[in-house]
Short mmCIF file of all heavy atoms in Angstrom, two decimals:
data_model
loop_
_atom_site.label_atom_id
_atom_site.label_comp_id
_atom_site.label_asym_id
_atom_site.label_seq_id
_atom_site.Cartn_x
_atom_site.Cartn_y
_atom_site.Cartn_z
N GLY A 182 147.31 -220.05 -116.12
CA GLY A 182 147.91 -219.69 -114.83
C GLY A 182 147.61 -218.26 -114.42
O GLY A 182 148.00 -217.84 -113.31
N GLU A 183 146.97 -217.46 -115.23
CA GLU A 183 146.66 -216.06 -114.93
C GLU A 183 145.21 -215.97 -114.40
O GLU A 183 144.33 -216.63 -114.92
CB GLU A 183 146.84 -215.18 -116.16
CG GLU A 183 148.24 -215.14 -116.69
CD GLU A 183 149.22 -214.52 -115.73
OE1 GLU A 183 148.85 -213.56 -115.02
OE2 GLU A 183 150.36 -214.97 -115.72
N GLN A 184 144.99 -215.10 -113.47
CA GLN A 184 143.67 -214.87 -112.88
C GLN A 184 142.84 -213.97 -113.84
O GLN A 184 142.59 -212.81 -113.55
CB GLN A 184 143.79 -214.19 -111.51
CG GLN A 184 144.55 -214.97 -110.50
CD GLN A 184 143.66 -215.99 -109.79
OE1 GLN A 184 142.46 -215.82 -109.77
NE2 GLN A 184 144.25 -216.96 -109.22
N LEU A 185 142.43 -214.53 -114.94
CA LEU A 185 141.74 -213.77 -115.99
C LEU A 185 140.44 -213.17 -115.45
O LEU A 185 140.15 -212.03 -115.72
CB LEU A 185 141.45 -214.65 -117.19
CG LEU A 185 140.73 -213.95 -118.37
CD1 LEU A 185 141.60 -212.83 -118.92
CD2 LEU A 185 140.40 -214.95 -119.46
N GLY A 186 139.67 -213.95 -114.72
CA GLY A 186 138.40 -213.45 -114.19
C GLY A 186 138.56 -212.24 -113.30
O GLY A 186 137.84 -211.26 -113.40
N ARG A 187 139.53 -212.30 -112.42
CA ARG A 187 139.78 -211.15 -111.54
C ARG A 187 140.27 -209.94 -112.31
O ARG A 187 139.94 -208.80 -111.98
CB ARG A 187 140.83 -211.52 -110.45
CG ARG A 187 140.23 -212.47 -109.44
CD ARG A 187 141.20 -212.74 -108.33
NE ARG A 187 140.61 -213.72 -107.42
CZ ARG A 187 141.15 -214.04 -106.30
NH1 ARG A 187 142.29 -213.51 -105.89
NH2 ARG A 187 140.57 -214.95 -105.52
N TRP A 188 141.10 -210.18 -113.33
CA TRP A 188 141.59 -209.09 -114.14
C TRP A 188 140.43 -208.39 -114.86
O TRP A 188 140.36 -207.16 -114.88
CB TRP A 188 142.64 -209.59 -115.13
CG TRP A 188 143.21 -208.50 -116.00
CD1 TRP A 188 144.21 -207.63 -115.68
CD2 TRP A 188 142.76 -208.11 -117.28
NE1 TRP A 188 144.41 -206.77 -116.71
CE2 TRP A 188 143.54 -207.04 -117.72
CE3 TRP A 188 141.76 -208.59 -118.14
CZ2 TRP A 188 143.37 -206.41 -118.95
CZ3 TRP A 188 141.58 -207.98 -119.38
CH2 TRP A 188 142.39 -206.89 -119.77
N VAL A 189 139.55 -209.18 -115.46
CA VAL A 189 138.39 -208.60 -116.16
C VAL A 189 137.53 -207.83 -115.16
O VAL A 189 137.11 -206.68 -115.47
CB VAL A 189 137.56 -209.70 -116.84
CG1 VAL A 189 136.20 -209.16 -117.34
CG2 VAL A 189 138.31 -210.29 -117.99
N LEU A 190 137.29 -208.34 -113.98
CA LEU A 190 136.51 -207.67 -112.96
C LEU A 190 137.19 -206.33 -112.60
O LEU A 190 136.51 -205.30 -112.48
CB LEU A 190 136.37 -208.55 -111.72
CG LEU A 190 135.54 -207.98 -110.58
CD1 LEU A 190 134.08 -207.91 -111.01
CD2 LEU A 190 135.67 -208.85 -109.36
N ALA A 191 138.51 -206.33 -112.46
CA ALA A 191 139.23 -205.10 -112.11
C ALA A 191 139.09 -204.05 -113.23
O ALA A 191 138.96 -202.86 -112.97
CB ALA A 191 140.70 -205.41 -111.84
N GLN A 192 139.13 -204.50 -114.48
CA GLN A 192 138.98 -203.57 -115.61
C GLN A 192 137.59 -202.94 -115.61
O GLN A 192 137.41 -201.76 -115.84
CB GLN A 192 139.26 -204.24 -116.97
CG GLN A 192 140.59 -204.94 -117.08
CD GLN A 192 141.75 -204.18 -116.45
OE1 GLN A 192 142.05 -203.05 -116.86
NE2 GLN A 192 142.41 -204.76 -115.48
N ARG A 193 136.60 -203.78 -115.36
CA ARG A 193 135.21 -203.29 -115.35
C ARG A 193 134.97 -202.31 -114.21
O ARG A 193 134.26 -201.33 -114.35
CB ARG A 193 134.23 -204.47 -115.30
CG ARG A 193 134.32 -205.35 -116.56
CD ARG A 193 133.39 -206.51 -116.47
NE ARG A 193 132.05 -206.01 -116.77
CZ ARG A 193 130.94 -206.57 -116.31
NH1 ARG A 193 131.01 -207.61 -115.52
NH2 ARG A 193 129.77 -206.08 -116.61
N ALA A 194 135.57 -202.62 -113.05
CA ALA A 194 135.42 -201.75 -111.90
C ALA A 194 136.19 -200.47 -112.02
O ALA A 194 135.80 -199.42 -111.48
CB ALA A 194 135.84 -202.51 -110.62
N GLY A 195 137.31 -200.50 -112.74
CA GLY A 195 138.14 -199.31 -112.88
C GLY A 195 137.97 -198.62 -114.22
O GLY A 195 138.86 -197.88 -114.66
N TRP A 196 136.85 -198.84 -114.88
CA TRP A 196 136.57 -198.30 -116.20
C TRP A 196 136.91 -196.82 -116.35
O TRP A 196 137.59 -196.44 -117.32
CB TRP A 196 135.12 -198.57 -116.56
CG TRP A 196 134.81 -198.46 -118.01
CD1 TRP A 196 134.30 -197.36 -118.67
CD2 TRP A 196 135.02 -199.44 -119.01
NE1 TRP A 196 134.15 -197.64 -120.00
CE2 TRP A 196 134.60 -198.93 -120.25
CE3 TRP A 196 135.53 -200.76 -119.00
CZ2 TRP A 196 134.64 -199.62 -121.45
CZ3 TRP A 196 135.56 -201.47 -120.20
CH2 TRP A 196 135.13 -200.90 -121.39
N PRO A 197 136.49 -195.95 -115.45
CA PRO A 197 136.77 -194.51 -115.64
C PRO A 197 138.27 -194.21 -115.62
O PRO A 197 138.70 -193.21 -116.19
CB PRO A 197 136.07 -193.83 -114.47
CG PRO A 197 135.11 -194.82 -113.97
CD PRO A 197 135.64 -196.18 -114.26
N ASP A 198 139.05 -195.05 -115.00
CA ASP A 198 140.50 -194.79 -114.87
C ASP A 198 141.28 -195.28 -116.10
O ASP A 198 142.48 -195.00 -116.23
CB ASP A 198 141.08 -195.48 -113.62
CG ASP A 198 140.38 -194.97 -112.36
OD1 ASP A 198 140.01 -193.77 -112.33
OD2 ASP A 198 140.22 -195.76 -111.43
N LEU A 199 140.62 -196.04 -116.97
CA LEU A 199 141.30 -196.57 -118.14
C LEU A 199 141.42 -195.48 -119.20
O LEU A 199 140.59 -194.58 -119.30
CB LEU A 199 140.54 -197.78 -118.73
CG LEU A 199 140.39 -199.01 -117.85
CD1 LEU A 199 139.47 -200.03 -118.49
CD2 LEU A 199 141.75 -199.61 -117.60
N GLU A 200 142.43 -195.59 -120.05
CA GLU A 200 142.58 -194.72 -121.22
C GLU A 200 141.47 -195.05 -122.21
O GLU A 200 140.98 -196.19 -122.24
CB GLU A 200 143.93 -194.91 -121.86
CG GLU A 200 145.10 -194.60 -120.94
CD GLU A 200 145.22 -193.09 -120.67
OE1 GLU A 200 144.85 -192.29 -121.52
OE2 GLU A 200 145.65 -192.76 -119.55
N GLU A 201 141.12 -194.11 -123.05
CA GLU A 201 140.06 -194.34 -124.03
C GLU A 201 140.38 -195.53 -124.96
O GLU A 201 139.52 -196.34 -125.23
CB GLU A 201 139.82 -193.06 -124.85
CG GLU A 201 138.62 -193.22 -125.78
CD GLU A 201 138.34 -191.96 -126.55
OE1 GLU A 201 138.88 -190.90 -126.23
OE2 GLU A 201 137.51 -192.04 -127.50
N ASP A 202 141.64 -195.66 -125.40
CA ASP A 202 141.98 -196.77 -126.30
C ASP A 202 141.88 -198.11 -125.56
O ASP A 202 141.52 -199.12 -126.18
CB ASP A 202 143.37 -196.57 -126.93
CG ASP A 202 144.50 -196.45 -125.90
OD1 ASP A 202 144.25 -196.00 -124.78
OD2 ASP A 202 145.65 -196.81 -126.27
N GLN A 203 142.16 -198.12 -124.25
CA GLN A 203 142.01 -199.36 -123.47
C GLN A 203 140.53 -199.74 -123.38
O GLN A 203 140.17 -200.90 -123.55
CB GLN A 203 142.60 -199.17 -122.07
CG GLN A 203 144.09 -199.01 -122.04
CD GLN A 203 144.60 -198.66 -120.67
OE1 GLN A 203 144.02 -197.82 -119.97
NE2 GLN A 203 145.68 -199.34 -120.26
N ARG A 204 139.66 -198.74 -123.12
CA ARG A 204 138.22 -199.03 -123.07
C ARG A 204 137.71 -199.53 -124.43
O ARG A 204 136.91 -200.44 -124.50
CB ARG A 204 137.44 -197.77 -122.63
CG ARG A 204 137.70 -197.40 -121.20
CD ARG A 204 136.73 -196.35 -120.73
NE ARG A 204 136.84 -195.09 -121.42
CZ ARG A 204 137.55 -194.02 -121.02
NH1 ARG A 204 138.19 -194.10 -119.87
NH2 ARG A 204 137.61 -192.92 -121.72
N ASP A 205 138.25 -198.91 -125.53
CA ASP A 205 137.83 -199.35 -126.88
C ASP A 205 138.24 -200.83 -127.12
O ASP A 205 137.46 -201.59 -127.69
CB ASP A 205 138.44 -198.46 -127.95
CG ASP A 205 137.85 -197.05 -127.94
OD1 ASP A 205 136.78 -196.86 -127.32
OD2 ASP A 205 138.47 -196.14 -128.52
N LEU A 206 139.48 -201.18 -126.72
CA LEU A 206 139.91 -202.57 -126.92
C LEU A 206 139.08 -203.54 -126.13
O LEU A 206 138.69 -204.62 -126.63
CB LEU A 206 141.40 -202.70 -126.54
CG LEU A 206 142.39 -202.04 -127.48
CD1 LEU A 206 143.78 -201.99 -126.80
CD2 LEU A 206 142.44 -202.77 -128.79
N LEU A 207 138.79 -203.19 -124.88
CA LEU A 207 137.93 -204.07 -124.04
C LEU A 207 136.53 -204.18 -124.62
O LEU A 207 135.96 -205.28 -124.70
CB LEU A 207 137.91 -203.58 -122.61
CG LEU A 207 139.21 -203.73 -121.83
CD1 LEU A 207 139.14 -202.96 -120.52
CD2 LEU A 207 139.52 -205.20 -121.59
N ALA A 208 135.96 -203.07 -125.04
CA ALA A 208 134.60 -203.06 -125.61
C ALA A 208 134.56 -203.91 -126.90
O ALA A 208 133.57 -204.58 -127.15
CB ALA A 208 134.16 -201.64 -125.89
N ALA A 209 135.67 -203.90 -127.66
CA ALA A 209 135.69 -204.68 -128.90
C ALA A 209 135.57 -206.18 -128.65
O ALA A 209 135.13 -206.92 -129.54
CB ALA A 209 136.99 -204.41 -129.66
N VAL A 210 135.96 -206.63 -127.44
CA VAL A 210 135.85 -208.05 -127.14
C VAL A 210 134.71 -208.34 -126.17
O VAL A 210 134.58 -209.40 -125.58
CB VAL A 210 137.17 -208.66 -126.58
CG1 VAL A 210 138.24 -208.64 -127.65
CG2 VAL A 210 137.63 -207.96 -125.34
N GLY A 211 133.84 -207.32 -125.96
CA GLY A 211 132.63 -207.53 -125.17
C GLY A 211 132.71 -207.21 -123.71
O GLY A 211 131.84 -207.56 -122.93
N ILE A 212 133.79 -206.53 -123.26
CA ILE A 212 133.92 -206.17 -121.88
C ILE A 212 133.57 -204.70 -121.73
O ILE A 212 134.17 -203.87 -122.43
CB ILE A 212 135.33 -206.45 -121.33
CG1 ILE A 212 135.63 -207.93 -121.45
CG2 ILE A 212 135.49 -205.96 -119.89
CD1 ILE A 212 137.05 -208.31 -121.15
N GLU A 213 132.62 -204.40 -120.88
CA GLU A 213 132.19 -203.04 -120.70
C GLU A 213 132.14 -202.71 -119.20
O GLU A 213 132.23 -203.59 -118.38
CB GLU A 213 130.80 -202.85 -121.33
CG GLU A 213 130.84 -203.06 -122.81
CD GLU A 213 129.49 -202.99 -123.48
OE1 GLU A 213 128.46 -202.99 -122.76
OE2 GLU A 213 129.46 -202.95 -124.73
N ALA A 214 131.93 -201.41 -118.91
CA ALA A 214 131.85 -200.96 -117.53
C ALA A 214 130.69 -201.64 -116.82
O ALA A 214 129.69 -201.98 -117.43
CB ALA A 214 131.67 -199.44 -117.48
N ASP A 215 130.86 -201.87 -115.55
CA ASP A 215 129.78 -202.47 -114.71
C ASP A 215 129.32 -201.37 -113.75
O ASP A 215 130.02 -201.01 -112.81
CB ASP A 215 130.35 -203.66 -113.96
CG ASP A 215 129.28 -204.39 -113.13
OD1 ASP A 215 128.37 -203.72 -112.61
OD2 ASP A 215 129.37 -205.61 -113.05
N LEU A 216 128.15 -200.83 -114.01
CA LEU A 216 127.64 -199.68 -113.22
C LEU A 216 127.49 -200.06 -111.74
O LEU A 216 127.76 -199.26 -110.88
CB LEU A 216 126.30 -199.21 -113.76
CG LEU A 216 126.38 -198.61 -115.17
CD1 LEU A 216 124.99 -198.19 -115.64
CD2 LEU A 216 127.34 -197.44 -115.21
N GLU A 217 127.13 -201.30 -111.46
CA GLU A 217 127.00 -201.78 -110.09
C GLU A 217 128.35 -201.72 -109.37
O GLU A 217 128.48 -201.26 -108.25
CB GLU A 217 126.42 -203.17 -110.05
CG GLU A 217 125.64 -203.50 -108.82
CD GLU A 217 124.95 -204.87 -108.96
OE1 GLU A 217 124.04 -205.00 -109.83
OE2 GLU A 217 125.33 -205.77 -108.21
N LEU A 218 129.38 -202.24 -110.05
CA LEU A 218 130.74 -202.23 -109.49
C LEU A 218 131.21 -200.78 -109.31
O LEU A 218 131.84 -200.44 -108.29
CB LEU A 218 131.72 -202.96 -110.42
CG LEU A 218 131.69 -204.49 -110.41
CD1 LEU A 218 132.62 -205.02 -111.47
CD2 LEU A 218 132.09 -205.02 -109.05
N LEU A 219 130.97 -199.93 -110.30
CA LEU A 219 131.41 -198.55 -110.22
C LEU A 219 130.75 -197.83 -109.02
O LEU A 219 131.39 -197.07 -108.32
CB LEU A 219 131.11 -197.80 -111.51
CG LEU A 219 131.91 -198.27 -112.73
CD1 LEU A 219 131.40 -197.62 -114.00
CD2 LEU A 219 133.39 -197.98 -112.53
N THR A 220 129.46 -198.09 -108.85
CA THR A 220 128.74 -197.48 -107.73
C THR A 220 129.26 -197.96 -106.40
O THR A 220 129.49 -197.19 -105.49
CB THR A 220 127.23 -197.79 -107.83
OG1 THR A 220 126.75 -197.33 -109.08
CG2 THR A 220 126.45 -197.17 -106.73
N ALA A 221 129.52 -199.27 -106.29
CA ALA A 221 130.06 -199.84 -105.04
C ALA A 221 131.44 -199.29 -104.77
O ALA A 221 131.79 -198.99 -103.62
CB ALA A 221 130.07 -201.36 -105.14
N LYS A 222 132.28 -199.18 -105.80
CA LYS A 222 133.64 -198.65 -105.64
C LYS A 222 133.59 -197.19 -105.17
O LYS A 222 134.33 -196.82 -104.26
CB LYS A 222 134.41 -198.78 -106.96
CG LYS A 222 135.83 -198.34 -106.84
CD LYS A 222 136.56 -198.54 -108.16
CE LYS A 222 137.98 -198.02 -108.10
NZ LYS A 222 138.66 -198.05 -109.36
N ALA A 223 132.73 -196.40 -105.77
CA ALA A 223 132.60 -194.99 -105.38
C ALA A 223 132.12 -194.88 -103.91
O ALA A 223 132.64 -194.02 -103.17
CB ALA A 223 131.64 -194.28 -106.32
N ALA A 224 131.18 -195.73 -103.51
CA ALA A 224 130.70 -195.69 -102.17
C ALA A 224 131.80 -196.09 -101.17
O ALA A 224 131.93 -195.45 -100.13
CB ALA A 224 129.50 -196.60 -101.99
N ALA A 225 132.57 -197.09 -101.50
CA ALA A 225 133.68 -197.51 -100.64
C ALA A 225 134.73 -196.45 -100.50
O ALA A 225 135.29 -196.21 -99.44
CB ALA A 225 134.29 -198.81 -101.16
N GLU A 226 135.03 -195.75 -101.61
CA GLU A 226 136.07 -194.70 -101.59
C GLU A 226 135.57 -193.49 -100.83
O GLU A 226 136.36 -192.71 -100.30
CB GLU A 226 136.47 -194.34 -103.00
CG GLU A 226 137.27 -195.43 -103.67
CD GLU A 226 137.52 -195.17 -105.15
OE1 GLU A 226 136.94 -194.21 -105.72
OE2 GLU A 226 138.31 -195.92 -105.73
N ALA A 227 134.25 -193.29 -100.76
CA ALA A 227 133.67 -192.13 -100.08
C ALA A 227 133.71 -192.29 -98.55
O ALA A 227 133.65 -191.31 -97.82
CB ALA A 227 132.25 -191.87 -100.56
N LYS A 228 133.79 -193.51 -98.10
CA LYS A 228 133.85 -193.76 -96.65
C LYS A 228 135.16 -193.24 -96.10
O LYS A 228 136.22 -193.41 -96.73
CB LYS A 228 133.75 -195.25 -96.33
CG LYS A 228 132.39 -195.82 -96.54
CD LYS A 228 132.41 -197.28 -96.15
CE LYS A 228 131.05 -197.92 -96.36
NZ LYS A 228 131.05 -199.34 -96.04
#
């Protein structure tokens, strides 16, 4: 019942805002930052 896919996408897009231990936990299960998402997010915030 949880939107797992959206949650994972939000974590990847918000990677710089996560605490280091949160990034480590996500990386341990194979979830890493998405440079494309980070670039798109930065461009949207710059508008």
Side-chain angles (χ1 to χ4, degrees):
E183 298 295 324
Q184 299 275 339
L185 181 63
R187 289 185 183 187
W188 181 84
V189 169
L190 184 67
Q192 305 319 300
R193 295 179 78 209
W196 197 263
D198 301 326
L199 297 173
E200 298 291 329
E201 186 176 348
D202 59 333
Q203 293 173 315
R204 291 191 298 264
D205 291 343
L206 288 168
L207 290 169
V210 294
I212 298 171
E213 297 175 349
D215 184 324
L216 296 178
E217 208 173 294
L218 283 175
L219 292 172
T220 303
K222 183 178 177 185
E226 289 172 352
K228 288 183 181 177

